[in-house]
Amino acid sequence: MSTTTVTEYLAGLDEPLREVAAKLRPVIEAALPGATGVVWHGHPVWGRGDRPGRDPVCLVKAYPAYLTFGLWHGQQVDDPSGRLLPGARSMASVKLRSADEIDPALFGDWLRQAYAREVAA
């Protein structure tokens, strides 16, 4: 899938992943006002200001059976749910197979914490 915008990437997903993305994107944008979303390394990334690739906060990446929602400083995020799984460096992510798996309040909290970590980094 070769896309140039976040909207094109998300619109090009098959169901049910398109539905997951449709529920996730407004959660990201509400929690990160002023953050810019771009397609970077083939998938959407939201980051600070006009440099999302240089100051990334979160990503959305589609796989055949799930959508990964990842946070660059996710391992430093307080996650009482235990849903964030550690990844490389300080990243953490959650695999989403249906829109019902998105808790807007929980995900918004993760995003605000990850943004604060990015600003402090």
Side-chain angles (χ1 to χ4, degrees), residues 19-117:
E19 181 183 359
V20 174
K23 185 171 180 181
L24 184 57
R25 184 179 190 177
V27 172
I28 294 169
E29 292 175 351
L32 302 176
T36 304
V38 299
V39 174
W40 187 52
H41 293 285
H43 56 272
V45 172
W46 283 263
R48 295 192 302 136
D50 61 351
R51 303 172 7 158
R54 297 177 93 188
D55 297 319
V57 175
C58 71
L59 65 87
V60 172
K61 186 171 182 180
Y63 293 91
Y66 60 88
L67 200 70
T68 292
F69 170 60
L71 302 166
W72 256 261
H73 291 282
Q75 290 183 33
Q76 290 124 10
V77 166
D78 180 34
D79 176 29
S81 74
R83 292 181 60 194
L84 283 173
L85 301 175
R89 299 183 188 90
S90 64
M91 292 192 74
S93 64
V94 62
K95 294 177 181 176
L96 303 167
R97 290 173 178 78
S98 76
D100 294 340
E101 295 177 309
I102 298 170
D103 177 339
L106 177 64
F107 284 38
D109 182 51
W110 290 346
L111 285 158
R112 286 184 289 279
Q113 289 183 59
Y115 181 83
R117 296 287 181 184

Side-chain angles (χ1 to χ4, degrees), residues 2 9 87:
S2 176
Y9 181 96

